[in-house]
Amino acid sequence: MAKPKRVGIYVRISKDRKGQELGIQRQEKACRELCDRLGWGVLKVYPENDTSASTTSKRTRPVYTDMLRDARDGLIDGIVVYSIDRLTRRIAELTHFLEEQKEHGFSFATTEGEDTATANGRMILTIKGAVAQQETERMSERINSSLLQRREKGKPHAGGSRLFGFKEGSHFQELEPKEVEAIKLGYGMLMDQRTPGDVARAWNELGLRTPEAGTAWDIHKVKRVYRSERIGGVITYKGQDIGDSIYPHPLTRAEWENVQTVLDARATPARKGMGKRKHLYSGFLKCPYCGSTMRVQWATIQGRTFRRTFCHSAQVGAGGEKGCGKVNRRYDWIEQRLNEVVEAALMTRMPKPQSAPSEDLEGKIKVSEERIRALRSRWKEGKIEDEDYFDSLTHLRTDLQTLRARQAASVVRESRVETDALAVWRDEDMQNLERRRAIVASVIDSVEVFSVGKGRKKPPELDSIKIWPVGAKRPEAAE
């Protein structure tokens, strides 16, 4: 085989914390010296700095991909690396590389002297690749074991960007008092049926900003704060609840779990009319002729501006057909009538008495926690095998999480006893529209709006709208 004249040198280092590329420079120097001894001409260097090639890495290696493409296209006719583990630590990837070399005929060499021209040389290279993969996997096991032991001691992962509520540079071990106070304020608001949007507005009014970019708060940013296990001192490992942090945290575990229950409930599919809208009853109004949802919008006719609701001819109806366009009416009168219906329904509602707890969840939780502590103690003393320990621990933690979820749901139910829904309903501020629409959705399922003709001066008849309360059976559903 002729000596290659267009060699590509591939150099890689997994960690380069200082960014000085010293490891890459040493590899390149050794590879160039090898090319000089072999009489190979170097065309290009492919540096891949601070990039892992292990079996556990999820990052792609674009430079390695580019090098293989150049070899397939004939841009380079040889590849030189410092050692086989610099090329790859995955046996499957090494096998693919050797197949590419065989198919496209480019030369390959390492400074350790591997020879791919013979079957024996390829076997030795494959064995070295398997050893490199095994070392990577053993290293991963040691790291995972160390991380698990750290979690078992109540020490959460210390990396990552600063989280609202914790001091900068404290590795989540010290709290920021002002931010903790805001988190507790938001917790109280959420438990009082306020929304993450309400919490965002409250934090913005206090002059608080996000720790990452210093921007204003919105619904999604608030949710990310309360969704973080760190806020409740909950330590997880590979998605499993490990225990509680030994460091201070803004909320207790019970409070954090209460918030998860509230947010999960809000994340369920919205009922009809629960979207973010500008008009109180938009989404509830239906055309009785074609079944499509009617629109509400402002209109100006002959210098007069008013709101109207209408069946849009381009709107898709219940049967999948477009709207009929038969209904076009003023919205204000409809809104007034529906307001009267909702308020009358609220007047009849009485606060629900709190029922006594049917079981001692707190006692069961304490028993489960004690069983976990006892199991952990036996494991640390070497009285139980690792496999049995982790298997038992998984079952115990699953039971504990179930009990805590039930307890959180119970607390949330008690906090949701509506004592003054009428006051919420009568607050007509636009920022309160979402809460008012939630009250409407608890009373009204939908409203059929009939056409009353054009040019009528007197108020419409009451039966020009048909209100379907929540839970009412439709004629077609009746037996």
Side-chain angles (χ1 to χ4, degrees):
M1 179 182 293
K3 294 182 179 181
K5 300 299 181 182
R6 303 182 306 279
V7 170
I9 295 177
Y10 179 75
V11 289
R12 180 188 63 82
I13 187 170
S14 299
K15 296 291 183 181
D16 186 14
R17 302 187 186 280
K18 296 183 179 180
Q20 296 178 346
E21 302 186 2
L22 298 179
I24 279 183
Q25 293 172 9
R26 287 192 292 268
Q27 292 178 43
E28 181 182 343
K29 180 181 178 183
C31 290
R32 286 187 178 276
E33 290 174 352
L34 174 64
C35 289
D36 289 342
R37 291 197 302 272
L38 297 175
W40 292 8
V42 176
L43 175 68
K44 187 177 180 180
V45 176
Y46 296 87
E48 198 128 47
N49 193 42
D50 201 19
T51 304
S52 175
S54 72
T55 57
T56 59
S57 176
K58 297 180 181 179
R59 294 177 59 184
T60 60
R61 292 193 290 159
V63 177
Y64 175 83
T65 302
D66 291 344
M67 177 185 67
L68 279 184
R69 186 187 63 246
D70 290 347
R72 294 190 200 102
D73 296 343
L75 180 63
I76 57 176
D77 56 3
I79 293 176
V80 174
V81 297
Y82 182 79
S83 63
I84 191 60
D85 63 352
R86 295 302 88 197
L87 181 71
T88 180
R89 285 180 177 268
R90 304 176 185 177
I91 191 66
E93 195 171 53
L94 175 60
T95 301
H96 176 262
F97 177 84
L98 294 176
E99 289 175 352
E100 291 280 351
Q101 183 201 11
K102 182 178 180 180
E103 179 178 354
H104 298 284
F106 57 85
S107 300
F108 175 69
T110 75
T111 61
E112 295 180 347
E114 283 85 358
D115 178 18
T116 59
T118 64
N120 189 56
R122 288 192 295 272
M123 180 190 71
I124 294 175
L125 194 64
T126 302
I127 292 173
K128 285 189 174 183
V131 171
Q133 176 170 318
Q134 182 198 35
E135 179 58 29
T136 298
E137 292 173 351
R138 289 179 59 189
M139 185 184 304
S140 175
E141 289 175 356
R142 290 195 297 269
I143 293 174
N144 288 336
S145 176
S146 175
L147 290 175
L148 177 58
Q149 289 180 3
R150 176 182 173 85
R151 303 293 193 279
E152 291 282 0
K153 293 178 182 179
K155 298 179 180 180
H157 180 57
S161 57
R162 186 176 87 85
L163 181 66
F164 190 69
F166 294 89
K167 287 187 176 179
E168 179 71 39
S170 69
H171 303 294
F172 304 99
Q173 298 178 16
E174 299 179 29
L175 299 178
E176 191 68 54
K178 186 177 179 180
E179 295 178 357
V180 171
E181 184 179 346
I183 291 173
K184 291 184 177 296
L185 170 66
Y187 170 77
M189 295 174 68
L190 293 173
M191 296 301 293
D192 191 33
Q193 299 192 57
R194 305 293 292 277
T195 68
D198 295 327
V199 177
R201 284 187 287 272
W203 288 0
N204 288 331
E205 290 173 359
L206 291 172
L208 300 172
R209 292 294 181 265
T210 61
E212 303 92 351
T215 56
W217 290 97
D218 59 28
I219 293 175
H220 303 292
K221 294 172 184 175
V222 168
K223 285 184 178 180
R224 280 199 295 271
V225 171
Y226 285 103
R227 285 296 191 185
S228 173
E229 291 93 346
R230 296 182 190 273
I231 294 297
V234 179
I235 297 179
T236 59
Y237 179 75
K238 293 186 176 181
Q240 296 295 318
D241 189 341
I242 294 296
D244 297 318
S245 173
I246 61 175
Y247 303 118
H249 33 87
L251 298 179
T252 65
R253 173 188 278 270
E255 290 172 337
W256 181 80
E257 290 173 345
N258 291 344
V259 173
Q260 305 317 299
T261 302
V262 172
L263 295 179
D264 289 343
R266 295 186 62 84
T268 55
R271 296 184 57 186
K272 295 178 181 179
M274 289 293 288
K276 184 177 181 181
R277 303 175 185 266
K278 298 179 181 179
H279 306 282
L280 185 57
Y281 294 101
S282 59
F284 291 92
L285 308 181
K286 303 292 182 180
C287 175
Y289 308 108
C290 66
S292 63
T293 302
M294 298 177 61
R295 295 188 180 183
V296 181
Q297 66 177 201
W298 288 94
T300 301
I301 299 178
Q302 296 180 349
R304 292 178 299 167
T305 301
F306 58 93
R307 288 182 297 173
R308 65 170 183 150
T309 181
F310 61 99
C311 175
H312 198 284
S313 58
Q315 183 76 26
V316 177
E321 300 178 352
K322 291 186 177 181
C324 62
K326 292 182 179 180
V327 184
N328 190 335
R329 294 182 52 177
R330 285 180 177 268
Y331 172 77
D332 291 343
W333 179 87
I334 297 173
E335 184 179 64
Q336 292 171 9
R337 300 291 78 75
L338 296 180
N339 283 350
E340 294 170 358
V341 171
V342 173
E343 185 155 335
L346 293 179
M347 293 288 287
T348 63
R349 292 183 178 179
M350 298 296 292
K352 297 179 181 178
Q354 296 186 19
S355 57
S358 58
E359 57 180 332
D360 182 16
L361 291 175
E362 185 64 34
K364 292 183 177 180
I365 289 174
K366 289 181 179 179
V367 170
S368 292
E369 290 175 340
E370 182 58 37
R371 292 179 65 187
I372 290 175
R373 284 194 291 269
L375 179 67
R376 185 177 298 142
S377 177
R378 290 180 60 198
W379 177 62
K380 289 180 179 179
E381 293 172 0
K383 297 179 179 179
I384 184 172
E385 296 295 331
D386 289 356
E387 183 177 354
D388 294 334
Y389 167 69
F390 287 111
D391 184 56
S392 301
L393 190 62
T394 299
H395 290 295
L396 288 175
R397 282 178 177 153
T398 299
D399 293 341
L400 181 60
Q401 286 178 322
T402 300
L403 290 171
R404 283 172 170 166
R406 289 166 59 188
Q407 184 187 48
S410 175
V411 172
V412 171
R413 281 196 302 271
E414 293 176 4
S415 71
R416 284 183 171 176
V417 175
E418 187 65 75
T419 58
D420 199 7
L422 200 58
V424 175
W425 169 253
R426 289 174 176 172
D427 180 4
E428 298 183 3
D429 189 287
M430 279 299 296
Q431 293 187 349
N432 195 46
L433 182 63
E434 184 181 350
R435 300 180 74 192
R436 297 186 75 213
R437 285 175 58 80
I439 292 175
V440 171
S442 70
V443 177
I444 296 175
D445 181 76
S446 63
V447 181
E448 291 182 348
V449 180
F450 296 88
S451 176
V452 295
K454 297 182 179 180
R456 298 181 59 128
K457 300 295 184 181
K458 62 182 180 180
E461 300 294 336
L462 293 177
D463 60 1
S464 67
I465 61 174
K466 182 173 180 57
I467 301 171
W468 290 96
V470 170
K473 283 190 175 181
R474 306 280 180 168
E476 60 271 20
E479 299 179 353

